[in-house]
Amino acid sequence: ATAFVRLMSVPGLALYYGGMVRSKNMLSTTTQILTIFCLIAVLWVVYGYSLAFSGTNPFFGTFDKLLLKGVIYDENGFFVPTGTFSKGVYIPELLFAFFQLTFAAITVALVAGGYAERMKFKAVLLFSVIWFTFSYIPMAHMVWWWPGPDAYTSPEVVDELNATAGYLWQMGALDFAGGTVVHINAGVAGLVAALFVGKRAGYGKVAMPPHNVILTAVGAALLWFGWFGFNAGSNLEANGYAVLAFANTLFATAVAALAWLFAEWILKGKPSLLGLVSGMVAGLVAITPACGFVGMQGALVIGLVAGVVCFFAVAYLKQMLGYDDALDAFGVHAVGGIVGAILTGVFVNPALGGAGYVTDGWVGPTFGYDPGQVWIQVKAVLVAIVWSGVVSALTLALLKFTIGLRVTEEQESEGLDLAEHGEKAYNP
């Protein structure tokens, strides 16, 4: 699963994003994504994992696991185990750390869709470092950090243990594989970046079609493949819940792809390949928080809603509000993530085919459902939007008034491939 998620960044996301930019920016887009992946991979090992997965603070971890100290071997030289979601079932903590590394890296790379084709490379890297540290890490800690099932030995310790978990975990928010942590977080950052950097030169006046939709389709297909590792792997165990996550990832994505395709066909007159693959990604995004919680009924509705709503966000909302989210980081990832996160609270209900969620503080555990879960999901979505929005805005403002965010008009006209990297993606 870890290797699958690694595949999602390069070549998956690089081809998906790269095919949608103009040919003069293909190489720069790929360079940004691959460099971001490598950069975040290093930072994750140095301090990211420690701050995300340790401590008792609801927002940040500690520096106790810097450079994965204590994560690999224990004092007796044995590999350190970590809990999963079943009592008495363990995996090496080092494996979990590197699985989470791939999540962190692709999340930061997703933001590139908002500022594509006009942001300075050094600004891209500095933004990535700061945003990773102050937006991704806290969100991962808030949603996914908890003591683990084996710690919950009796009803008397439940409240005490819950108080040491992340803020949104304490709240009871459900996010199986990253609707808030990854997609809303990155999508909101992409929108804020698009607003701060400004529109591409000629946007709205000059046609800017994707230079190679086939590459985008290949990238989307690789994303779908890697997403099985993303979603099924998030179960941490090879059992029925992993199969449920796998099945939902296949089914909801197919539904969303068709929903976008037919919405576009009805309203625009022609069904496009770009629309089909955009619907695929919207479905993948929306089912991510729900994949291990909902059944086929929920996956069907989530796919339908995500495909149609994300189509409207990309085809109409962007035009209506006038922002230049070049590769639709917001329209697909934030909007799809919001749809999926909220509908998770509806369709986790066993009466609607869902799996339910733990209702006895992991002592048993026993599973059930409460309608109040929908409001908890809404609050989690709002926290993700505000947190990412504020961190993104402060970071971009800092960079704008120091090193600057945007390349010159001449460099933008020439293309970032040559202007920033001295290379071209294609040579005659």
Side-chain angles (χ1 to χ4, degrees):
T2 301
F4 281 12
V5 184
R6 162 52 204 97
L7 177 81
M8 292 172 67
S9 294
V10 180
L13 184 64
L15 290 174
Y16 178 70
Y17 273 177
M20 286 194 283
V21 300
R22 289 165 288 181
S23 59
K24 62 185 179 180
N25 296 313
M26 173 64 177
L27 182 141
S28 66
T29 300
T30 302
T31 303
Q32 287 175 5
I33 291 170
L34 182 54
T35 306
I36 288 170
F37 186 95
C38 294
L39 177 64
I40 301 306
V42 172
L43 297 181
W44 184 256
V45 171
V46 174
Y47 67 85
Y49 179 73
S50 185
L51 287 176
F53 291 97
S54 70
T56 58
N57 183 282
F59 301 102
F60 276 98
T62 69
F63 291 108
D64 293 347
K65 297 181 180 181
L66 290 182
L67 278 172
L68 303 186
K69 178 184 177 183
V71 171
I72 307 173
Y73 309 112
D74 63 18
E75 62 275 9
N76 298 314
F78 296 107
F79 284 100
V80 173
T82 192
T84 57
F85 296 104
S86 300
K87 291 179 183 289
V89 178
Y90 304 97
I91 59 173
E93 187 173 0
L94 182 62
L95 174 58
F96 177 74
F98 273 79
F99 180 63
Q100 288 293 336
L101 177 157
T102 60
F103 277 64
I106 195 171
T107 303
V108 182
L110 286 171
V111 184
Y115 56 69
E117 300 197 288
R118 70 250 200 226
M119 193 161 166
K120 292 179 180 178
F121 189 60
K122 61 182 177 182
V124 168
L125 299 187
L126 285 171
F127 171 80
S128 297
V129 171
I130 299 170
W131 187 84
F132 162 71
T133 305
F134 294 103
S135 191
Y136 182 83
I137 289 174
M139 281 302 305
H141 183 84
M142 281 190 272
V143 173
W144 288 330
W145 174 243
W146 68 304
D150 293 290
Y152 293 82
T153 54
S154 68
E156 290 73 29
V157 302
V158 169
D159 290 341
E160 179 184 351
L161 289 172
N162 284 346
T164 68
Y167 175 69
L168 293 176
W169 182 281
Q170 291 186 40
M171 188 187 293
L174 301 175
D175 188 350
F176 196 83
T180 51
V181 180
V182 176
H183 298 293
I184 298 173
N185 204 6
V188 169
L191 175 62
V192 175
L195 295 173
F196 266 84
V197 178
K199 300 174 185 177
R200 289 167 290 177
Y203 179 73
K205 301 174 183 176
V206 178
M208 299 180 181
H211 88 279
N212 195 322
V213 179
I214 298 300
L215 287 182
T216 293
V218 172
L222 288 167
L223 283 170
W224 194 351
F225 177 80
W227 224 290
F228 290 119
F230 200 90
N231 285 356
S234 291
N235 189 60
L236 306 181
E237 307 170 46
N239 60 21
Y241 286 102
V243 176
L244 179 65
F246 185 101
N248 281 330
T249 302
L250 183 58
F251 180 54
T253 303
V255 171
L258 292 175
W260 186 308
L261 182 80
F262 283 106
E264 181 182 48
W265 198 347
I266 293 167
L267 295 170
K268 298 276 189 175
K270 292 183 179 180
S272 71
L273 175 60
L274 183 61
L276 183 67
V277 298
S278 297
M280 283 166 47
V281 176
L284 289 165
V285 168
I287 199 61
T288 289
C291 59
F293 295 120
V294 306
M296 294 301 108
Q297 182 178 342
L300 175 65
V301 175
I302 289 171
L304 281 171
V305 174
V308 173
V309 171
C310 290
F311 165 72
F312 275 94
V314 169
Y316 297 104
L317 181 65
K318 182 167 68 170
Q319 184 177 9
M320 183 175 67
L321 298 181
Y323 58 85
D324 183 13
D325 174 14
L327 309 180
D328 298 311
F330 177 77
V332 172
H333 291 277
V335 173
I338 291 167
V339 167
I342 294 174
L343 291 181
T344 298
V346 176
F347 289 100
V348 67
N349 186 353
L352 298 175
Y357 51 83
V358 173
T359 55
D360 70 345
W362 291 88
V363 175
T366 56
F367 295 83
Y369 176 74
D370 187 313
Q373 188 63 40
V374 177
W375 175 234
I376 293 173
Q377 298 300 109
V378 171
K379 289 191 288 184
V381 165
L382 293 174
V383 169
I385 292 171
V386 172
W387 193 287
S388 180
V390 170
V391 171
S392 301
L394 291 175
T395 303
L396 290 159
L398 172 66
L399 296 177
K400 183 173 183 177
F401 295 109
T402 52
I403 65 168
L405 292 173
R406 190 164 180 152
V407 297
T408 66
E409 287 185 26
E410 182 180 352
Q411 290 173 319
E412 187 176 349
S413 177
E414 180 184 24
L416 272 60
D417 289 8
L418 283 173
E420 289 271 88
H421 305 287
E423 301 174 287
K424 293 196 296 184
Y426 309 105
N427 290 293

mmCIF file of all heavy atoms in Angstrom, residues 355-380:
data_model
loop_
_atom_site.group_PDB
_atom_site.id
_atom_site.type_symbol
_atom_site.label_atom_id
_atom_site.label_comp_id
_atom_site.label_asym_id
_atom_site.label_seq_id
_atom_site.Cartn_x
_atom_site.Cartn_y
_atom_site.Cartn_z
ATOM 1 N N ALA A 355 -21.098 0.686 8.127
ATOM 2 C CA ALA A 355 -20.481 -0.227 9.100
ATOM 3 C C ALA A 355 -20.670 0.235 10.538
ATOM 4 O O ALA A 355 -20.351 -0.499 11.471
ATOM 5 C CB ALA A 355 -18.987 -0.355 8.799
ATOM 6 N N GLY A 356 -21.189 1.469 10.734
ATOM 7 C CA GLY A 356 -21.252 2.012 12.079
ATOM 8 C C GLY A 356 -19.876 2.407 12.559
ATOM 9 O O GLY A 356 -18.887 2.309 11.838
ATOM 10 N N TYR A 357 -19.801 2.878 13.806
ATOM 11 C CA TYR A 357 -18.516 3.240 14.389
ATOM 12 C C TYR A 357 -18.529 2.887 15.863
ATOM 13 O O TYR A 357 -19.573 2.627 16.456
ATOM 14 C CB TYR A 357 -18.192 4.717 14.186
ATOM 15 C CG TYR A 357 -19.298 5.668 14.615
ATOM 16 C CD1 TYR A 357 -19.440 6.060 15.939
ATOM 17 C CD2 TYR A 357 -20.209 6.165 13.683
ATOM 18 C CE1 TYR A 357 -20.443 6.920 16.326
ATOM 19 C CE2 TYR A 357 -21.210 7.025 14.057
ATOM 20 C CZ TYR A 357 -21.329 7.405 15.376
ATOM 21 O OH TYR A 357 -22.342 8.247 15.764
ATOM 22 N N VAL A 358 -17.358 2.852 16.448
ATOM 23 C CA VAL A 358 -17.221 2.413 17.838
ATOM 24 C C VAL A 358 -18.000 3.340 18.768
ATOM 25 O O VAL A 358 -17.833 4.559 18.723
ATOM 26 C CB VAL A 358 -15.736 2.374 18.236
ATOM 27 C CG1 VAL A 358 -15.596 2.097 19.729
ATOM 28 C CG2 VAL A 358 -15.006 1.307 17.428
ATOM 29 N N THR A 359 -18.853 2.761 19.603
ATOM 30 C CA THR A 359 -19.701 3.552 20.492
ATOM 31 C C THR A 359 -19.440 3.292 21.973
ATOM 32 O O THR A 359 -20.149 3.838 22.821
ATOM 33 C CB THR A 359 -21.185 3.269 20.193
ATOM 34 O OG1 THR A 359 -21.423 1.860 20.278
ATOM 35 C CG2 THR A 359 -21.571 3.771 18.813
ATOM 36 N N ASP A 360 -18.454 2.452 22.299
ATOM 37 C CA ASP A 360 -18.204 2.169 23.722
ATOM 38 C C ASP A 360 -16.785 2.551 24.133
ATOM 39 O O ASP A 360 -16.228 1.993 25.071
ATOM 40 C CB ASP A 360 -18.449 0.681 24.016
ATOM 41 C CG ASP A 360 -17.401 -0.220 23.386
ATOM 42 O OD1 ASP A 360 -16.662 0.259 22.499
ATOM 43 O OD2 ASP A 360 -17.299 -1.391 23.783
ATOM 44 N N GLY A 361 -16.183 3.528 23.406
ATOM 45 C CA GLY A 361 -14.842 3.960 23.779
ATOM 46 C C GLY A 361 -13.778 2.909 23.543
ATOM 47 O O GLY A 361 -12.768 2.880 24.245
ATOM 48 N N TRP A 362 -13.977 2.016 22.563
ATOM 49 C CA TRP A 362 -13.005 0.998 22.181
ATOM 50 C C TRP A 362 -12.761 -0.046 23.271
ATOM 51 O O TRP A 362 -11.826 -0.827 23.188
ATOM 52 C CB TRP A 362 -11.653 1.629 21.778
ATOM 53 C CG TRP A 362 -11.760 2.383 20.499
ATOM 54 C CD1 TRP A 362 -12.110 3.700 20.360
ATOM 55 C CD2 TRP A 362 -11.554 1.891 19.172
ATOM 56 N NE1 TRP A 362 -12.142 4.063 19.035
ATOM 57 C CE2 TRP A 362 -11.801 2.976 18.283
ATOM 58 C CE3 TRP A 362 -11.198 0.650 18.650
ATOM 59 C CZ2 TRP A 362 -11.687 2.845 16.902
ATOM 60 C CZ3 TRP A 362 -11.081 0.517 17.277
ATOM 61 C CH2 TRP A 362 -11.325 1.602 16.417
ATOM 62 N N VAL A 363 -13.616 -0.087 24.282
ATOM 63 C CA VAL A 363 -13.431 -1.097 25.325
ATOM 64 C C VAL A 363 -13.775 -2.475 24.784
ATOM 65 O O VAL A 363 -13.051 -3.452 25.007
ATOM 66 C CB VAL A 363 -14.285 -0.772 26.570
ATOM 67 C CG1 VAL A 363 -14.177 -1.893 27.586
ATOM 68 C CG2 VAL A 363 -13.829 0.550 27.182
ATOM 69 N N GLY A 364 -14.884 -2.574 24.040
ATOM 70 C CA GLY A 364 -15.320 -3.855 23.473
ATOM 71 C C GLY A 364 -14.529 -4.275 22.241
ATOM 72 O O GLY A 364 -13.798 -5.235 22.282
ATOM 73 N N PRO A 365 -14.636 -3.568 21.139
ATOM 74 C CA PRO A 365 -15.573 -2.450 20.969
ATOM 75 C C PRO A 365 -16.907 -2.911 20.407
ATOM 76 O O PRO A 365 -17.021 -3.971 19.833
ATOM 77 C CB PRO A 365 -14.848 -1.573 19.945
ATOM 78 C CG PRO A 365 -14.086 -2.548 19.111
ATOM 79 C CD PRO A 365 -13.718 -3.708 20.007
ATOM 80 N N THR A 366 -17.931 -2.069 20.625
ATOM 81 C CA THR A 366 -19.222 -2.285 19.998
ATOM 82 C C THR A 366 -19.477 -1.136 19.024
ATOM 83 O O THR A 366 -18.930 -0.042 19.174
ATOM 84 C CB THR A 366 -20.348 -2.330 21.042
ATOM 85 O OG1 THR A 366 -20.327 -1.123 21.815
ATOM 86 C CG2 THR A 366 -20.162 -3.511 21.971
ATOM 87 N N PHE A 367 -20.327 -1.400 18.019
ATOM 88 C CA PHE A 367 -20.527 -0.440 16.947
ATOM 89 C C PHE A 367 -21.976 0.036 16.913
ATOM 90 O O PHE A 367 -22.906 -0.714 17.203
ATOM 91 C CB PHE A 367 -20.154 -1.071 15.600
ATOM 92 C CG PHE A 367 -18.697 -1.401 15.490
ATOM 93 C CD1 PHE A 367 -18.187 -2.580 16.022
ATOM 94 C CD2 PHE A 367 -17.820 -0.524 14.884
ATOM 95 C CE1 PHE A 367 -16.842 -2.884 15.940
ATOM 96 C CE2 PHE A 367 -16.470 -0.818 14.794
ATOM 97 C CZ PHE A 367 -15.968 -1.994 15.318
ATOM 98 N N GLY A 368 -22.156 1.284 16.547
ATOM 99 C CA GLY A 368 -23.495 1.851 16.472
ATOM 100 C C GLY A 368 -23.487 3.124 15.653
ATOM 101 O O GLY A 368 -22.593 3.345 14.833
ATOM 102 N N TYR A 369 -24.505 3.981 15.895
ATOM 103 C CA TYR A 369 -24.635 5.209 15.113
ATOM 104 C C TYR A 369 -25.478 6.205 15.881
ATOM 105 O O TYR A 369 -26.385 5.836 16.624
ATOM 106 C CB TYR A 369 -25.287 4.920 13.756
ATOM 107 C CG TYR A 369 -25.536 6.167 12.937
ATOM 108 C CD1 TYR A 369 -24.480 6.833 12.321
ATOM 109 C CD2 TYR A 369 -26.821 6.699 12.800
ATOM 110 C CE1 TYR A 369 -24.692 7.983 11.576
ATOM 111 C CE2 TYR A 369 -27.049 7.846 12.049
ATOM 112 C CZ TYR A 369 -25.983 8.488 11.443
ATOM 113 O OH TYR A 369 -26.189 9.633 10.719
ATOM 114 N N ASP A 370 -25.161 7.494 15.677
ATOM 115 C CA ASP A 370 -25.943 8.587 16.253
ATOM 116 C C ASP A 370 -26.098 9.648 15.173
ATOM 117 O O ASP A 370 -25.100 10.026 14.547
ATOM 118 C CB ASP A 370 -25.223 9.173 17.473
ATOM 119 C CG ASP A 370 -26.059 10.207 18.209
ATOM 120 O OD1 ASP A 370 -26.623 11.085 17.533
ATOM 121 O OD2 ASP A 370 -26.119 10.170 19.443
ATOM 122 N N PRO A 371 -27.305 10.157 14.921
ATOM 123 C CA PRO A 371 -27.503 11.185 13.885
ATOM 124 C C PRO A 371 -26.661 12.441 14.105
ATOM 125 O O PRO A 371 -26.399 13.185 13.153
ATOM 126 C CB PRO A 371 -29.004 11.506 13.979
ATOM 127 C CG PRO A 371 -29.612 10.293 14.589
ATOM 128 C CD PRO A 371 -28.586 9.739 15.533
ATOM 129 N N GLY A 372 -26.243 12.672 15.351
ATOM 130 C CA GLY A 372 -25.396 13.818 15.631
ATOM 131 C C GLY A 372 -24.044 13.754 14.930
ATOM 132 O O GLY A 372 -23.306 14.742 14.901
ATOM 133 N N GLN A 373 -23.717 12.591 14.358
ATOM 134 C CA GLN A 373 -22.448 12.446 13.658
ATOM 135 C C GLN A 373 -22.341 13.407 12.474
ATOM 136 O O GLN A 373 -21.244 13.878 12.149
ATOM 137 C CB GLN A 373 -22.274 11.006 13.166
ATOM 138 C CG GLN A 373 -20.907 10.708 12.593
ATOM 139 C CD GLN A 373 -19.796 10.843 13.629
ATOM 140 O OE1 GLN A 373 -19.970 10.434 14.781
ATOM 141 N NE2 GLN A 373 -18.666 11.414 13.220
ATOM 142 N N VAL A 374 -23.451 13.721 11.857
ATOM 143 C CA VAL A 374 -23.420 14.634 10.700
ATOM 144 C C VAL A 374 -22.903 16.000 11.124
ATOM 145 O O VAL A 374 -22.072 16.614 10.439
ATOM 146 C CB VAL A 374 -24.816 14.750 10.060
ATOM 147 C CG1 VAL A 374 -24.789 15.753 8.902
ATOM 148 C CG2 VAL A 374 -25.287 13.389 9.564
ATOM 149 N N TRP A 375 -23.373 16.493 12.267
ATOM 150 C CA TRP A 375 -22.927 17.803 12.753
ATOM 151 C C TRP A 375 -21.448 17.758 13.135
ATOM 152 O O TRP A 375 -20.699 18.723 12.913
ATOM 153 C CB TRP A 375 -23.785 18.253 13.934
ATOM 154 C CG TRP A 375 -23.318 19.533 14.581
ATOM 155 C CD1 TRP A 375 -23.036 19.720 15.890
ATOM 156 C CD2 TRP A 375 -23.092 20.797 13.944
ATOM 157 N NE1 TRP A 375 -22.633 21.010 16.126
ATOM 158 C CE2 TRP A 375 -22.653 21.703 14.936
ATOM 159 C CE3 TRP A 375 -23.199 21.249 12.634
ATOM 160 C CZ2 TRP A 375 -22.347 23.037 14.669
ATOM 161 C CZ3 TRP A 375 -22.878 22.576 12.354
ATOM 162 C CH2 TRP A 375 -22.453 23.445 13.359
ATOM 163 N N ILE A 376 -21.011 16.640 13.702
ATOM 164 C CA ILE A 376 -19.584 16.489 14.011
ATOM 165 C C ILE A 376 -18.761 16.581 12.725
ATOM 166 O O ILE A 376 -17.713 17.238 12.692
ATOM 167 C CB ILE A 376 -19.327 15.147 14.721
ATOM 168 C CG1 ILE A 376 -19.978 15.141 16.110
ATOM 169 C CG2 ILE A 376 -17.824 14.877 14.835
ATOM 170 C CD1 ILE A 376 -19.911 13.799 16.820
ATOM 171 N N GLN A 377 -19.241 15.953 11.668
ATOM 172 C CA GLN A 377 -18.533 15.998 10.385
ATOM 173 C C GLN A 377 -18.478 17.418 9.832
ATOM 174 O O GLN A 377 -17.447 17.858 9.294
ATOM 175 C CB GLN A 377 -19.199 15.074 9.369
ATOM 176 C CG GLN A 377 -19.194 13.592 9.749
ATOM 177 C CD GLN A 377 -17.801 13.026 9.925
ATOM 178 O OE1 GLN A 377 -17.367 12.735 11.036
ATOM 179 N NE2 GLN A 377 -17.079 12.883 8.823
ATOM 180 N N VAL A 378 -19.574 18.140 9.972
ATOM 181 C CA VAL A 378 -19.609 19.532 9.503
ATOM 182 C C VAL A 378 -18.594 20.375 10.270
ATOM 183 O O VAL A 378 -17.865 21.186 9.681
ATOM 184 C CB VAL A 378 -21.027 20.121 9.654
ATOM 185 C CG1 VAL A 378 -21.019 21.630 9.391
ATOM 186 C CG2 VAL A 378 -21.997 19.423 8.708
ATOM 187 N N LYS A 379 -18.523 20.185 11.578
ATOM 188 C CA LYS A 379 -17.555 20.945 12.382
ATOM 189 C C LYS A 379 -16.124 20.614 11.986
ATOM 190 O O LYS A 379 -15.260 21.498 11.916
ATOM 191 C CB LYS A 379 -17.781 20.669 13.874
ATOM 192 C CG LYS A 379 -19.048 21.283 14.425
ATOM 193 C CD LYS A 379 -19.109 21.213 15.944
ATOM 194 C CE LYS A 379 -19.344 19.807 16.422
ATOM 195 N NZ LYS A 379 -19.511 19.762 17.917
ATOM 196 N N ALA A 380 -15.849 19.339 11.686
ATOM 197 C CA ALA A 380 -14.512 18.943 11.257
ATOM 198 C C ALA A 380 -14.146 19.601 9.929
ATOM 199 O O ALA A 380 -13.009 20.055 9.724
ATOM 200 C CB ALA A 380 -14.417 17.424 11.144
#
